[in-house]
């Protein structure tokens, strides 16, 4: 008997009836169930309800209003523009730091990681105010520039697109660095050695091997940052001007002070759909799992 | 009709107010903390003797209001002394979100018992009848002042205003800006200025600057107000949306003068010793409109009534003013305040008469349309 | 399939590599301790040793990935210590293959040519196809590394290393990740490629058989130093110390003391009291009184008829007898020590454990090594 079992099931023998917990679908389903239920009850259901009620009560009125009013189109454009600039800024600043993290020694790496994540302990509001101290008309940077005679008048650094992007980049940069670092750590360093020994200078090895291999991580990290940026409201409210009003700020005003829940819901749904569409497009071209450190395809 | 415990708690507050009369905020808080600690010991002792079980079983009162320093002040001046003696715990919910209150009422699932809402929302609450009639068998009218009962189903909580302050460092002499017309005058008074990002009060200031007398403001001449606002738009450093912004910005020198909430202005001047001066002339007073309500259909109306009975009394209102500089509506509270301190309060008669009263009825009817217009204008 | 003319691929000549007093420490621990080596142009040299012996560091230093703390590195008598890896004109095969996952097989193999030459597109293609043909992977140009088996990936890696006709080829345990059958197959192919190319090959391995079968010379490394450098036969047959003797193949090492040494030979006494005389002509002579180790390779030992009297014999009892199919492994207890030897089933006849046996060898096959290593 033992011998026949070792040789595996013969083609004619019926498939063995496995105990419930050994079936392939069982473990994932059981493990995911709490999360799924939580998501359905506290996330998907309320949103579905909100959309449904909105459509029932007021039809497409909210959506029509949003897409026909200049002010919301401007807010969409602001949000898109700020999010794109923030993403690019984070990438440009974060990529070299993330790359440096992969080449330095362990102790320096730990130190940089602590420094990178340190601002996270600070409140958004405090961080935004510190920009006022730096960028204001009487701020540190302008005082130095005027003091040195480089400029006659203080530069308008605060309460504009520049300061909003600077503030948002500061908040999101750690996430960008950590996401890129995670992706870069998975690149086999020996590939760089292989490139160098076969004739590539450090720079060419980086350009032809490391950089292309890091792109998947770059796309993932950028998506993450872009989507996070779409939902910002404290930073643009504190160190931006009304010209940089972002979607979430408008949603808050509509929902909390104007009590216009129809428009607020419509605006939220537009933001949500835009985010989902982006994510789906991304997933079609790249493997979304990479964001969470899944296997490279 | 007060029980012994309430009387005791009020007594402690009264003692602290008297002892620290004329002293600054810090001295008041220190003394209040010490008194609270002392009375806690005392109450533990007495509660062992009296019915501990009954007190432990008291249903909590859920209160919604502003967060941050406001919450701290509510807890110290109102909620903690109340809970200490009555045994009724106060669950304070922040941030302030009127839409939540409204949504819960619409869903017939009101979770907030007592709320303190601003002038605009209290006008809305009255319009939509979201409050519940007050039970004056629990709330003792004798301890209130008539100003607190101006609105139906509501008790006046505190009085705040939006005023102009200027930096005395910039204008040490008598040639400082004195009116909204001066605020608008970029040539005569160059410098950084800031207004709140809301049409409420801001349009009124524009009209005052344009020469409209303060008793002829409403209904607002919107076209005239926006036209006047257009003049000053390029000179506005920032349109603030939180109370701390103008406070920080004028302290750091980004602003020379600004519109600011009276509470924040007094915090800068009295607590942080900043060289600013308040211009009461043309200030926007919320009058007695910021009120306490007991919400319709709330889980613990009796507890909420008891809480209001305590919170609206003179002593907590005075203590609250000492901590966060929100003026008492209960005029009896002024007896517990030093004259110099009283003179900094927006509900102090000499100040109040210089300001205009915001017409919240006008605003509740026109808020959304005017806000849309204001936002469209401000964002372009 | 047309054949590649080896002459097309033959490099000018292999490079000579010389290490002079080279040292390297990592965090205070010596990875290479004052090593000097002279690797002949065109030879196939293996760096052999247990892990941590310094062989990979030595290879990485030749590649230029590691800078020596002291000493000099010369290619064809030109110092190259300060020349970065990409200018050393070396080909390298990594244990992990280190193929570029985002490039096709063609692009992987073309990589060194694109970096080092300005070949026209058709020339480049021709060279890549030649290299792939040499490693028997023609037709795989458009595949990606992940679509290949381990053995195929290693062939691509070899093609990439040799496509630029480097005068020096480094291989870091290239077959370490492959199964035995594939390893044996590729060993032959690598050896063939070496013959065709004429480049110098430096091959790191911890597999002694691999080192012995493939190399012209073997560098046996131990504790950051060279334990012995010589031809495979030299290091196997004439180990300079007990480490080399026991690391390469099986060795019976018996502690002994030299009691007499003269022109006739050396007489040693084993711990069990037996005296043996070794004829002169051995590569080492010791003065009387030296502590030594007597080396007897199992394959040199045989069971002798009980009656024979010879100096090259030892008496003992059969301690253990293990059947290996074609032969028996015998452990003989000679009192103080044991000897291991092989015997054919025929020789065993009716022997059983505990029986007295006599172990004999050709007197010239015993060696003496310094003790204490």
């Amino acid at each position: 008997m033992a011998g026949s079992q070792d040789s595996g099931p013969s083609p004619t023998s019926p498939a063995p009836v496995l105990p419930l917990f050994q079936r392939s679908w069982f473990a994932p389903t059981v493990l995911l169930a709490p999360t799924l239920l939580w998501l359905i009850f506290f996330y998907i259901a309320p949103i579905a309800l909100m959309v449904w009620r909105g459509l029932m009560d007021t039809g497409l009125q909210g959506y029509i209003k949003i897409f026909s009013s200049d002010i919301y189109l401007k807010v969409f454009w602001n949000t898109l523009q700020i999010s794109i600039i923030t993403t690019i800024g984070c990438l440009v600043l974060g990529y070299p730091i993330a790359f440096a993290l992969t080449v330095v020694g362990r102790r320096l790496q730990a130190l940089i990681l602590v420094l990178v994540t340190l601002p996270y302990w600070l409140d958004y509001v405090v961080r935004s105010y510190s920009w006022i101290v730096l960028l204001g008309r009487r701020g540190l940077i302008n005082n130095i520039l005027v003091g040195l005679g480089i400029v006659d008048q203080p530069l308008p650094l605060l309460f504009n697109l520049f300061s909003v992007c600077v503030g948002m980049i500061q908040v999101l940069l750690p996430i960008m660095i950590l996401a890129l670092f995670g992706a870069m750590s998975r690149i086999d360093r020996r590939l760089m050695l292989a490139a160098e020994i076969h004739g590539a200078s450090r720079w060419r090895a980086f350009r032809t091997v490391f950089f292309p291999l890091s792109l998947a991580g770059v796309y993932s990290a950028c998506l993450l940052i872009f989507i996070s940026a779409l939902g910002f409201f404290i930073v643009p409210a504190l160190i931006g001007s009304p010209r940089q009003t972002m979607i979430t700020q408008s949603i808050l005003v509509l929902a909390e002070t104007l009590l216009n829940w129809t428009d607020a819901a419509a605006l939220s749904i537009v933001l949500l759909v835009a985010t989902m569409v982006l994510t789906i497009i991304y997933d079609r071209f790249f493997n979304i799992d990479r964001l969470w450190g899944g296997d490279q395809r | 009709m007060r029980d012994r415990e309430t009387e005791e708690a009020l007594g402690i507050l009264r003692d602290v107010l008297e002892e620290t009369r004329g002293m600054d905020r810090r001295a008041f808080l220190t003394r209040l903390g010490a008194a609270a600690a002392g009375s806690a010991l005392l109450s533990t002792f007495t509660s062992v003797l009296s019915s501990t079980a009954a007190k432990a079983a008291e249903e909590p009162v859920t209160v919604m209001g502003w967060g941050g320093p406001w919450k701290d002040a509510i807890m110290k001046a109102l909620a903690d002394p109340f809970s200490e003696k009555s045994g009724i715990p106060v669950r304070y919910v922040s941030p302030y979100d009127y839409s939540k209150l409204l949504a819960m009422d619409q869903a017939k699932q009101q979770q907030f018992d007592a709320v303190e809402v601003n002038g605009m929302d209290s006008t809305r609450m009255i319009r939509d009848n979201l409050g519940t009639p007050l039970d004056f068998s629990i709330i003792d009218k004798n301890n209130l002042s008539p100003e607190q009962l101006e609105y139906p189903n509501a008790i006046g909580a505190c009085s705040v205003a939006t005023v102009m302050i200027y930096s005395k460092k910039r204008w040490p002499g008598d040639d400082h800006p004195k009116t909204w017309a001066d605020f608008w005058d970029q040539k005569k008074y160059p410098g950084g200025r800031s207004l709140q990002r809301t049409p409420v009060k801001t349009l009124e200031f524009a009209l005052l600057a344009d020469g409209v007398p303060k008793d002829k403001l409403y209904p607002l001449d919107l076209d005239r107000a926006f036209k006047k606002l257009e003049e000053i738009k390029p000179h506005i450093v920032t349109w603030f949306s939180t109370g701390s912004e103008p406070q920080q910005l004028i302290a750091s020198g980004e602003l020379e003068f600004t519109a600011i909430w009276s509470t924040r202005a007094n915090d800068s001047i009295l607590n942080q010793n900043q060289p600013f001066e308040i211009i009461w002339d043309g200030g926007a007073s919320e009058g007695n409109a910021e009120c306490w309500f007991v919400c319709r259909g709330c889980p613990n109306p009796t507890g909420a009534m008891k809480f209001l009975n305590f919170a609206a009394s003179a002593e907590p209102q005075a203590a609250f003013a000492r901590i966060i500089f929100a003026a008492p509506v209960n005029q009896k509270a002024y007896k517990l305040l030093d004259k110099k301190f009283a003179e900094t309060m927006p509900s102090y008669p000499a100040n109040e008469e210089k300001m205009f009263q915001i017409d919240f009825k006008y605003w509740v009817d026109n808020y959304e349309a005017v806000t849309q217009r204001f936002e469209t204008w401000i964002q372009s | 399939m047309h054949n590649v003319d080896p002459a097309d691929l033959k490099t000018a000549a292999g490079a000579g590599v010389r290490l002079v007093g080279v040292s390297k420490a990592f965090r205070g621990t010596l990875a290479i301790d004052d090593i000097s080596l002279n690797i002949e142009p065109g030879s196939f040299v293996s760096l052999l040793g247990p892990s941590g012996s310094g062989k990979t560091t030595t290879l990485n230093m030749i590649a230029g990935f590691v800078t020596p703390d002291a000493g000099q590195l010369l290619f064809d008598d030109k110092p190259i210590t300060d020349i970065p890896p990409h200018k050393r004109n070396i080909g390298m095969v990594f244990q992990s293959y280190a193929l570029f996952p985002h490039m096709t097989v063609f692009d992987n193999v073309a990589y060194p040519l694109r970096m080092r030459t300005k070949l026209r597109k058709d020339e480049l293609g021709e060279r890549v196809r030649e290299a792939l043909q040499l490693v028997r992977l023609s037709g795989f140009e458009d595949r990606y590394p992940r679509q290949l088996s381990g053995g195929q990936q290693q062939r691509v890696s070899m093609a990439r290393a040799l496509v630029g006709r480097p005068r020096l080829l480094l291989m870091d345990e290239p077959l370490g990740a492959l199964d035995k059958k594939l390893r044996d197959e590729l060993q032959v192919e690598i050896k063939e490629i070496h013959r065709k190319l004429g480049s110098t090959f430096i091959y790191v391995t911890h597999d002694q058989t691999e080192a012995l079968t493939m190399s012209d010379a073997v560098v046996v490394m131990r504790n950051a130093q060279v334990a012995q450098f010589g031809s495979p036969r030299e290091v196997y047959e004439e180990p300079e110390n007990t480490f080399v003797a026991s690391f390469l193949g099986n060795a019976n090492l018996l502690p002994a003391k030299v009691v007499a040494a003269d022109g006739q030979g050396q007489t040693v006494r084993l711990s069990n009291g037996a005296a043996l005389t070794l004829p002169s002509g051995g590569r080492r002579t010791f003065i009387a009184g030296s502590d030594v180790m007597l080396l007897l390779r199992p394959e040199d030992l045989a069971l002798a008829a009980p009656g024979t009297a010879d100096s090259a014999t030892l008496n003992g009892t059969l301690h253990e007898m293990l059947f290996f199919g074609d032969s028996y492994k015998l452990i003989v207890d000679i009192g103080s020590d044991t000897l291991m030897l092989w015997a054919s089933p025929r020789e065993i006849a009716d022997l059983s454990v505990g029986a007295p046996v006599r172990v004999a060898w050709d007197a010239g096959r015993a060696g003496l090594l310094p003790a204490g290593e």
Side-chain angles (χ1 to χ4, degrees):
Chain A
M1 271 317 283
S4 75
Q5 270 183 5
D6 284 346
S7 63
S10 67
T12 51
S13 69
V17 180
L18 288 170
L20 195 61
F21 59 85
Q22 280 182 8
R23 295 187 198 173
S24 62
W25 54 266
F26 185 77
T29 313
V30 167
L31 291 174
L32 280 178
T35 315
L36 276 176
L37 284 177
W38 192 88
L39 277 176
I40 289 170
F41 276 103
F42 295 105
Y43 195 69
I44 296 169
I47 290 173
L49 211 65
M50 178 172 83
V51 176
W52 178 248
R53 279 220 187 134
L55 291 175
M56 286 297 99
D57 294 352
T58 53
L60 290 169
Q61 186 197 314
Y63 299 93
I64 292 165
K65 191 166 161 195
I66 283 170
F67 285 109
S68 58
S69 95
D70 288 349
I71 182 160
Y72 292 128
L73 293 178
K74 173 109 192 329
V75 166
F76 282 133
W77 165 240
N78 287 342
T79 309
L80 189 70
Q81 182 191 29
I82 293 169
S83 300
I84 288 173
I85 296 174
T86 300
T87 306
I88 293 171
C90 281
L91 179 63
V92 169
L93 293 173
Y95 195 97
I97 298 174
F99 179 72
L101 276 170
T102 64
V103 291
V104 297
R106 284 200 168 270
R107 206 170 294 174
L108 190 57
Q109 187 184 70
L111 180 74
I112 298 175
L113 279 173
V114 166
L115 289 177
V116 162
T117 47
L118 204 61
Y120 250 66
W121 299 97
L122 276 178
D123 183 50
Y124 272 98
V125 179
V126 175
R127 277 190 276 172
S128 295
Y129 277 133
S130 55
W131 283 114
I132 294 176
V133 176
L134 284 173
L135 301 176
R137 277 191 318 141
R138 301 280 154 77
L140 188 69
I141 292 174
N142 269 321
N143 277 350
I144 290 172
L145 290 177
V146 175
L148 292 175
I150 297 171
V151 293
D152 301 334
Q153 289 288 314
L155 296 175
L157 302 175
L158 196 59
F159 304 121
N160 53 27
L161 182 63
F162 173 76
S163 58
V164 172
C165 293
V166 165
M168 286 180 55
I169 287 169
Q170 188 211 20
V171 172
L172 290 170
L173 187 58
I175 301 175
M176 175 63 101
I177 292 173
L178 293 179
L180 285 177
F181 175 55
M184 289 177 182
S185 306
R186 292 198 293 276
I187 298 175
D188 185 355
R189 303 296 308 182
R190 279 167 299 199
L191 297 178
M192 289 287 275
L193 297 182
E196 283 182 52
I197 198 73
H198 291 120
S201 62
R202 284 263 165 97
W203 170 239
R204 277 186 98 183
F206 172 81
R207 236 182 44 212
T208 55
V209 176
F210 190 91
F211 183 69
L213 286 174
S214 72
L215 280 181
V218 166
Y219 298 142
S220 306
C222 284
L223 180 77
L224 189 67
I225 298 301
F226 184 78
I227 289 175
S228 309
L230 288 179
F232 262 56
F233 65 96
I234 296 177
V235 174
L238 288 183
I239 56 175
S241 84
R243 283 168 207 261
Q244 283 85 47
T245 303
M246 292 179 73
I247 292 184
T248 317
Q249 282 171 279
S250 294
I251 294 173
L252 277 176
V253 169
L254 282 170
E256 288 189 1
T257 62
L258 298 183
L259 308 176
N260 180 345
W261 296 342
T262 311
D263 292 5
L267 210 51
S268 310
I269 293 301
V270 170
L271 180 61
L272 182 73
V273 168
T275 310
M276 274 165 45
V277 166
L278 263 173
T279 313
I280 290 165
I281 291 173
Y282 177 84
D283 193 36
R284 287 295 297 270
F285 289 97
F286 313 100
N287 190 349
I288 200 92
D289 284 351
R290 280 186 187 146
L291 263 178
W292 328 120
D295 276 345
Q296 303 217 343
R297 196 153 54 182
Chain B
M1 202 173 52
R2 280 174 176 167
D3 51 29
R4 196 172 52 83
E5 280 90 1
T6 309
E7 205 53 67
E8 258 179 40
L10 293 172
I12 291 169
L13 284 175
R14 202 157 45 230
D15 290 348
V16 175
L17 284 160
E18 288 298 346
E19 278 173 43
T20 60
R21 191 183 275 268
M23 297 184 193
D24 66 2
R25 177 178 183 267
R26 190 166 307 149
F28 175 75
L29 279 175
T30 311
R31 185 64 195 86
L32 183 64
S39 79
L41 286 174
L42 188 69
S43 79
T44 317
F45 178 65
T46 48
S47 63
V48 172
L49 298 176
S50 64
S51 54
T52 332
K55 280 190 177 175
E58 292 287 2
E59 217 185 312
V61 177
T62 305
V63 176
M64 191 272 281
W66 283 272
W70 195 273
K71 176 186 173 179
D72 293 344
I74 292 273
M75 296 312 287
K76 287 200 177 90
L78 281 60
D80 289 344
F82 169 71
S83 302
E84 194 65 59
K85 292 296 174 187
S86 68
I88 301 172
V90 173
R91 266 206 315 248
Y92 193 89
V93 181
S94 65
Y96 180 90
D97 188 351
Y98 181 75
S99 63
K100 212 176 199 172
L101 190 158
L102 183 59
M104 292 199 288
D105 182 84
Q106 288 184 358
K108 307 232 180 305
Q109 288 288 326
Q110 189 54 265
Q111 299 298 311
F112 300 144
D113 296 310
V115 292
E116 183 200 0
V117 296
N118 62 25
M120 176 83 80
D121 292 335
S122 91
T123 312
R124 282 169 166 163
M125 272 194 91
I126 292 160
R127 181 192 65 187
D128 303 337
N129 199 26
L130 258 55
T132 196
L134 298 173
D135 181 350
F136 288 106
S137 69
I138 298 176
I139 300 167
D140 188 350
K141 269 190 186 175
N142 295 326
N143 294 314
L144 305 178
S145 73
E147 290 83 358
Q148 287 176 284
L149 300 169
E150 187 180 330
Y151 300 100
N153 299 345
I155 302 182
C158 64
S159 184
V160 293
T162 301
V163 292
M164 187 205 304
I165 57 171
Y166 71 92
S167 166
K168 288 207 274 193
K169 260 194 287 189
R170 177 73 174 78
W171 293 292
D174 200 42
D175 56 346
H176 62 79
K178 297 177 185 72
T179 64
W180 289 109
D182 292 345
F183 187 88
W184 250 254
D185 194 337
Q186 167 68 16
K187 285 208 181 69
K188 198 168 162 197
Y189 299 101
R193 60 249 283 151
S194 173
L195 286 169
Q196 190 175 350
R197 185 171 175 178
T198 170
V200 187
K201 302 168 282 187
T202 308
L203 297 183
E204 285 92 324
F205 296 153
L207 290 171
L208 288 175
D210 208 31
V212 177
K214 70 181 168 117
D215 52 349
K216 298 258 167 34
L217 285 170
Y218 301 98
L220 300 178
D221 183 341
L222 294 174
D223 292 339
R224 185 172 174 183
F226 277 104
K227 192 166 162 254
K228 188 70 182 169
L229 272 178
E230 195 66 53
E231 284 176 23
I232 203 175
K233 195 178 181 188
H235 308 295
I236 296 291
V237 170
T238 185
W239 295 88
F240 69 86
S241 43
T242 63
S244 61
E245 282 171 80
Q247 217 185 342
Q248 298 275 349
L249 290 167
I250 192 168
S252 67
E254 288 299 311
L255 303 175
E256 262 86 30
F257 49 165
T258 181
I260 190 169
W261 303 342
S262 59
T263 49
R264 296 289 185 162
N266 275 322
D267 182 62
S268 284
I269 298 166
L270 300 176
N271 188 35
Q272 298 174 21
N273 298 313
Q274 295 280 0
F276 310 143
E277 189 177 358
I278 295 177
I279 305 292
W280 294 103
D281 267 312
S285 168
E286 298 206 5
N288 306 322
E290 174 136 1
C291 293
W292 283 107
F293 288 85
V294 174
C295 297
R296 174 168 78 180
C298 70
N300 186 9
T302 311
M305 298 292 172
K306 286 181 182 167
F307 176 67
L308 259 53
N309 180 44
F310 183 86
S313 307
E315 292 85 351
Q317 291 223 335
F320 187 65
R322 290 288 295 274
I323 298 172
I324 200 144
F325 311 107
V329 180
N330 191 331
Q331 292 298 312
K332 297 184 170 103
Y334 273 100
K335 292 197 195 96
L336 299 162
L337 296 171
D338 185 53
K339 184 159 184 299
K340 263 185 80 184
F341 183 87
E343 284 169 357
T344 67
M345 294 286 106
S347 62
Y348 186 73
N351 295 333
E352 194 156 33
E353 67 190 24
K354 290 182 186 159
M355 299 191 281
F356 68 89
Q357 294 278 324
I358 302 167
D359 184 345
F360 286 114
K361 282 221 177 63
Y362 168 84
W363 273 117
V364 165
D365 293 341
N366 297 283
Y367 189 39
E368 188 172 355
V370 179
T371 301
Q372 294 288 7
R373 180 168 174 185
F374 180 79
E375 279 295 320
T376 309
W377 172 80
I378 203 173
Q379 289 185 34
S380 60
Chain C
M1 216 167 88
H2 71 281
N3 282 322
V4 181
D5 179 2
D8 288 351
L9 287 159
K10 196 107 180 168
T11 48
V17 177
R18 209 138 60 85
L19 281 74
V20 185
V22 170
S23 292
K24 178 71 188 180
F26 293 113
R27 289 166 200 265
T29 310
L30 276 172
I32 301 182
D33 184 4
D34 192 19
I35 285 181
S36 295
L37 278 178
N38 193 354
I39 293 168
E40 292 293 324
S43 61
F44 191 120
V45 176
S46 289
L47 301 180
L48 175 69
S51 57
S53 59
K55 54 191 197 299
T56 295
T57 309
T58 307
L59 194 78
N60 284 339
M61 191 174 283
I62 296 169
F65 301 151
V66 169
T67 319
D69 297 336
Q72 248 203 333
L73 193 63
L74 305 113
F75 283 9
D76 294 335
D77 295 323
K78 285 195 289 279
I80 56 143
T81 314
D82 297 327
I83 293 174
H86 68 278
K87 290 187 178 156
R88 293 190 178 189
N89 204 13
I90 295 174
M92 187 158 175
V93 179
F94 295 80
Q95 178 177 9
S96 57
Y97 322 135
L99 295 177
F100 307 128
H102 59 302
M103 297 182 195
T104 59
V105 166
F106 183 93
D107 290 333
N108 263 284
V109 176
Y111 192 83
L113 297 177
R114 290 192 172 127
M115 294 300 128
R116 291 201 162 115
T117 67
K118 290 197 164 61
L119 286 180
R120 285 206 321 273
K121 213 176 165 200
D122 53 336
E123 285 176 324
L124 186 105
E126 190 53 38
R127 292 275 294 271
V128 170
R129 272 185 290 279
E130 270 173 22
L132 283 173
Q133 205 176 347
L134 194 68
V135 297
R136 305 182 194 196
L137 265 187
S138 301
F140 284 75
E141 285 85 350
D142 296 332
R143 305 262 188 109
Y144 280 89
R146 59 174 179 272
Q147 300 169 313
L148 303 178
S149 70
Q152 288 169 332
Q153 290 190 43
Q154 196 54 292
R155 286 167 199 266
V156 177
S157 178
M158 274 192 275
R160 181 179 64 181
L162 58 82
V163 72
R165 299 173 197 175
R167 296 178 59 216
L168 176 61
L169 226 118
L170 307 180
M171 299 186 141
D172 186 6
E173 307 211 21
L175 310 181
L178 303 176
D179 62 41
K180 175 131 178 33
K181 192 166 167 287
L182 203 54
R183 211 156 60 213
D184 293 345
E185 216 175 286
L186 277 165
Q187 279 173 9
V188 177
E189 284 183 34
I190 291 174
K191 195 62 201 157
E192 243 176 71
I193 290 169
H194 173 242
R195 247 195 319 278
K196 283 180 188 165
L197 288 182
S199 319
T200 308
F201 275 44
I202 302 179
Y203 190 100
V204 164
T205 181
H206 62 260
D207 181 336
Q208 39 136 334
T209 320
E210 206 169 274
L212 294 177
T213 51
M214 299 176 76
S215 319
D216 299 323
V218 178
V219 180
V220 185
M221 297 197 66
R222 181 204 190 189
N223 291 344
Q225 289 177 321
V226 175
Q228 190 170 352
F229 180 30
S231 72
R233 284 200 70 151
E234 268 167 6
V235 292
Y236 186 78
E237 292 175 357
E238 294 164 31
E240 282 176 7
N241 48 51
T242 52
F243 171 76
V244 175
S246 53
F247 191 73
L248 292 165
N250 292 309
N252 292 300
L253 289 165
L254 307 175
K257 202 175 193 78
V258 180
V259 291
D262 54 33
Q264 298 301 305
Q266 300 175 84
T267 306
V268 296
R269 191 175 297 282
L270 301 182
S271 313
N272 67 357
L276 296 168
T277 301
L278 283 74
S280 61
R283 78 211 88 102
R284 276 171 190 269
T285 50
F286 294 89
I287 56 163
S290 311
D291 285 320
V292 293
M293 281 285 192
L294 177 68
L295 167 67
L296 294 168
R297 292 282 185 195
E299 65 270 22
D300 292 333
L301 301 180
L303 291 177
T308 35
D310 198 323
S311 66
T313 59
L314 278 170
N315 292 317
T317 52
L318 189 57
H319 181 68
E320 194 69 83
M321 219 167 94
L322 302 162
F323 184 51
F324 271 73
D326 58 344
S327 59
Y328 276 91
K329 181 180 183 176
L330 305 182
I331 309 286
V332 176
D333 189 344
I334 57 163
S336 55
D337 297 286
T338 57
L339 284 176
M340 196 273 274
L341 67 150
W342 298 96
S344 66
R346 200 161 36 78
E347 285 175 284
I348 297 301
D350 52 357
L351 272 181
S352 58
V353 170
V357 289
R358 194 172 173 79
V359 180
W361 62 91
D362 177 353
R365 304 294 297 174
L368 286 185
L369 301 171
E373 252 189 274

